[in-house]
Amino acid sequence: MIKKFIDKLFGKSDGTQPGATRAKKSPFGQRQDVGVKEHGIDVKLVDDRAMDVVRTLKDAGYEAYIVGGAVRDLLVGLRPKDFDVATDATPEQVKSLFRRAFIIGRRFRIVHVIYGRGREHEVIEVSTFRAHLDSSLAEQVGGNERTSKSELAGMKHAVDASGRVLRDNVWGPIEQDAARRDFTINAMYYDPETQVVVDYHNGIKDAKKKIIRMIGNPALRYREDPVRIIRAVRFAAKLSALGFKFEDKTVAPLREMKGLLADVPQSRLFDEMLKLLQTGHALASIAQLKFLGLGTGIYPLLDVVVENADEPFLKLALQDTDRRVGEGKPVAPSFLLSCVLWSDVREGWEQRQKRGEHLMPALQDAIDDAFNAKIGDVSGRGKLGTDMREIWTMQPRFEKRVGSAPYSLLEQPRFRAGFDFLRLRAQTGEIDMELAEWWEKFSTAYDDERHAMIEEARQAQMQKPQAPRVRVKRPDAETQAPRSAADGDAPATFAEGDAAPAKKRRRRRKPANRGNAGGAGDAGGEGAGGDSPSPSADAASNS
């Protein structure tokens, strides 16, 4: 008792450890400047364009650091895919320093600094240090980003009724910016010039212990931004191969907080789904979703991926995507989503053909049904949907290997994506592998080789037994009366087995002034013998 009284008298805590201080722990952590000997980052792994952004900002008198996942990857020896920069310069100040820079976003205003052009361009994302604000003190709106757009226009810090942050554009010092970030391993700042890592929340220690830990109260942080639930899954999937695991307090609220994602805009969930599937760890992400009990309810299309992930075709597509990302090759969301929905499209296509519908109309209708049922608000009616449709509608065209059809298909802008899709179908036994091998050879052959391949395919097609052509009777064929005799008094009759006499063609009379009345159809209206109009005349008149 006396010891406790003395501890209180001198500002000590009444905890179990003697001499423990009673000082309240700061939510901003304690700054640690860690040198290269301790963190071991190889500066050669830093992108030259990110170095240029940091140098430009520092030369202008601002603080600037590489931040976030890039620092985390550098710490564990990975080469980052993307580099983000944080600075105390405002978005307008950042934009003024670079020739090609654009301010984007409403919820979080950031700057994209562009290097290069076309497909080879690189984007360095630059954000301004943000203040750590108490969400309970923020302005509150009743709706969301769309329904309350006019109300949010003049706000810098706003939340909705559930506590989700809708605006967060209040600038602050670096220590507050660090506290605002989600996980400790993502809240470190690296200066590539001095090679110092600034760490406020023991991110380096957590990286060495291989722990994924949320800064602050996990439940409150998930409520502020429910997309952190998906980000947590993505980080766990990416780092699981290195042995990283969740801290218990960080993982505990994930499942019960999943319902908060219902208020997140569909477009943002769609983007997060693509990050799960296109950052090189698609299969690991699906495994994490199942393990954490998040396999359903995040996003309808993601539910389809998780449900069908073990099917040979989709599993092979996911493996192929992971391989391409690992090799530094580009991946297109349209291709992967085409693979995700192919089972639905194929099933609808086959059902329609069994009902007697024609090949291409049946495919188009099956595609429409798949879009309406599985994609929803992100409806694929734009470029993404157009690319997916082209990949699918190419598939029956690959069956045509004679005439000019192979050349015209080869000239299609999306040919390579369509062929890669065909190859996956062949690898899973859906179609004959010979077809994929033929197109692989044809696409790389010289003109004379292509001509020979088409001729060989034509000969092979001629040798196949042709299905008999079925002539469809007109509905009135059975009810039509036979032609009457010449005198018109009695119907003509034929003995059994006798052939009916050939039908006489009636010769058309040439109308008066025809040469001055018509166009192309008139010019070819009479054949050489004058007995019947030419086929071209009929086509012209029907067009």
Side-chain angles (χ1 to χ4, degrees):
M1 293 292 294
I2 295 174
K3 182 174 180 58
K4 290 182 179 179
F5 175 76
I6 294 173
D7 285 342
K8 289 182 178 180
L9 185 64
F10 288 95
K12 306 272 184 86
S13 71
D14 57 354
T16 57
Q17 294 183 356
T21 60
R22 192 190 178 105
K24 186 178 180 180
K25 186 177 179 182
S26 170
F28 306 135
Q30 185 175 358
R31 176 168 177 148
Q32 301 176 58
D33 289 358
V34 183
V36 66
K37 289 184 178 180
E38 185 174 348
H39 61 66
I41 290 177
D42 184 0
V43 72
K44 295 179 181 178
L45 296 176
V46 178
D47 188 273
D48 290 339
R49 289 155 289 200
M51 290 276 285
D52 180 66
V53 171
V54 171
R55 189 179 301 112
T56 301
L57 287 165
K58 291 181 70 176
D59 289 345
Y62 301 109
E63 286 186 85
Y65 302 90
I66 292 171
V67 70
V71 184
R72 177 200 66 220
D73 290 349
L74 290 168
L75 274 174
V76 298
L78 300 176
R79 183 181 292 275
K81 302 291 184 187
D82 302 297
F83 285 85
D84 298 336
V85 172
T87 178
D88 60 347
T90 65
E92 290 77 13
Q93 290 168 335
V94 174
K95 185 178 185 300
S96 68
L97 295 174
F98 299 93
R99 186 171 60 87
R100 298 181 65 209
F102 306 92
I103 298 175
I104 66 168
R106 293 190 184 95
R107 184 169 176 266
F108 300 126
R109 293 178 68 229
I110 59 177
V111 180
H112 278 180
V113 180
I114 314 296
Y115 288 84
R117 295 186 180 276
R119 291 187 176 182
E120 302 302 320
H121 80 281
E122 180 74 20
V123 176
I124 305 298
E125 190 172 284
V126 183
S127 61
T128 304
F129 297 151
R130 288 178 172 82
H132 184 270
L133 301 176
D134 188 346
S135 294
S136 64
L137 302 177
E139 297 181 85
Q140 186 170 327
V141 298
N144 54 36
E145 291 95 325
R146 291 182 179 176
T147 60
S148 306
K149 186 178 293 185
S150 60
E151 189 178 355
L152 287 166
M155 296 182 181
K156 289 187 176 181
H157 186 217
V159 297
D160 65 9
S162 67
R164 181 166 63 95
V165 178
L166 303 181
R167 288 288 186 276
D168 188 4
N169 289 302
V170 181
W171 318 132
I174 184 175
E175 62 269 17
Q176 293 190 26
D177 187 74
R180 189 193 61 82
R181 296 182 179 270
D182 43 21
F183 302 100
T184 60
I185 56 175
N186 289 341
M188 294 174 285
Y189 302 76
Y190 176 57
D191 184 341
E193 292 190 331
T194 63
Q195 298 190 49
V196 169
V197 172
V198 179
D199 184 7
Y200 285 91
H201 299 280
N202 297 315
I204 291 180
K205 289 183 179 179
D206 286 349
K208 289 181 178 180
K209 293 179 181 178
K210 299 182 178 179
I211 293 175
I212 302 174
R213 180 167 60 90
M214 179 70 74
I215 298 172
N217 184 324
L220 178 61
R221 303 306 303 279
Y222 292 136
R223 190 175 296 280
E224 289 175 347
D225 186 3
V227 168
R228 286 178 176 143
I229 296 170
I230 306 176
R231 285 165 58 84
V233 173
R234 178 156 52 89
F235 294 147
K238 180 176 183 178
L239 300 174
S240 60
L242 300 175
F244 276 74
K245 294 183 179 179
F246 281 114
E247 178 209 31
D248 291 341
K249 292 181 180 179
T250 298
V251 74
L254 283 177
R255 187 183 300 183
E256 63 184 72
M257 291 286 185
K258 181 179 66 174
L260 296 172
L261 291 167
D263 294 327
V264 177
Q266 293 287 295
S267 58
R268 193 170 177 218
L269 290 177
F270 183 79
D271 291 340
E272 290 296 329
M273 180 197 68
L274 291 182
K275 290 179 183 178
L276 276 178
L277 302 178
Q278 292 197 146
T279 52
H281 308 89
L283 292 173
S285 295
I286 292 170
Q288 282 289 333
L289 288 169
K290 291 180 178 178
F291 176 74
L292 297 170
L294 302 173
T296 59
I298 291 181
Y299 186 69
L301 198 55
L302 185 59
D303 292 351
V304 178
V305 177
V306 176
E307 181 183 353
N308 299 333
D310 292 329
E311 292 184 1
F313 181 80
L314 182 55
K315 186 174 183 179
L316 187 61
L318 294 169
Q319 289 174 339
D320 193 55
T321 299
D322 286 349
R323 175 187 60 80
R324 289 182 64 85
V325 173
E327 294 173 355
K329 297 178 180 178
V331 291
S334 57
F335 180 83
L336 183 57
L337 295 182
S338 297
C339 296
V340 171
L341 292 181
W342 176 238
S343 60
D344 294 87
V345 172
R346 184 183 61 224
E347 182 179 348
W349 188 23
E350 291 172 350
Q351 289 176 353
R352 284 171 170 78
Q353 289 184 87
K354 288 178 181 178
R355 295 200 296 261
E357 296 185 27
H358 292 293
L359 188 76
M360 292 307 293
L363 179 56
Q364 293 287 2
D365 289 344
I367 292 171
D368 288 339
D369 285 352
F371 272 136
N372 294 333
K374 297 295 173 65
I375 294 187
D377 288 344
V378 189
S379 59
R381 266 63 175 184
K383 185 179 185 307
L384 177 68
T386 300
D387 291 346
M388 292 169 67
R389 288 174 184 273
E390 287 184 11
I391 291 172
W392 287 325
T393 54
M394 276 187 202
Q395 301 310 303
R397 296 177 63 186
F398 281 110
E399 301 286 347
K400 300 178 181 179
R401 292 181 283 175
V402 296
S404 61
Y407 292 103
S408 61
L409 185 57
L410 200 63
E411 294 173 356
Q412 295 297 314
R414 301 288 297 166
F415 169 80
R416 191 67 208 182
F419 168 74
D420 287 341
F421 194 92
L422 179 81
R423 179 174 52 83
L424 289 179
R425 293 175 64 204
Q427 288 176 343
T428 53
E430 184 181 324
I431 58 172
D432 194 339
M433 179 61 77
E434 184 272 336
L435 182 63
E437 292 173 347
W438 189 93
W439 278 100
E440 176 73 34
K441 182 179 179 181
F442 185 80
S443 64
T444 57
Y446 292 105
D447 288 342
D448 54 345
E449 293 175 307
R450 289 175 177 174
H451 180 75
M453 291 176 67
I454 291 175
E455 180 61 24
E456 183 180 348
R458 189 182 70 83
Q459 294 293 339
Q461 181 174 306
M462 291 177 62
Q463 293 175 5
K464 289 182 180 179
Q466 299 293 322
R469 295 182 64 181
V470 179
R471 298 189 66 178
V472 180
K473 291 183 178 180
R474 287 184 295 178
D476 59 344
E478 296 179 358
T479 59
Q480 185 176 358
R483 289 189 65 188
S484 59
D487 57 5
D489 295 330
T493 56
F494 309 104
E496 186 176 350
D498 291 346
K503 184 178 178 179
K504 243 184 180 180
R505 289 181 178 269
R506 178 182 296 176
R507 182 172 180 176
R508 291 187 179 180
R509 293 186 177 183
K510 185 175 180 180
N513 299 326
R514 181 171 182 177
N516 298 328
D522 295 328
E526 295 286 332
D531 294 329
S532 63
S534 68
S536 61
D538 290 337
S541 62
N542 291 331
S543 61

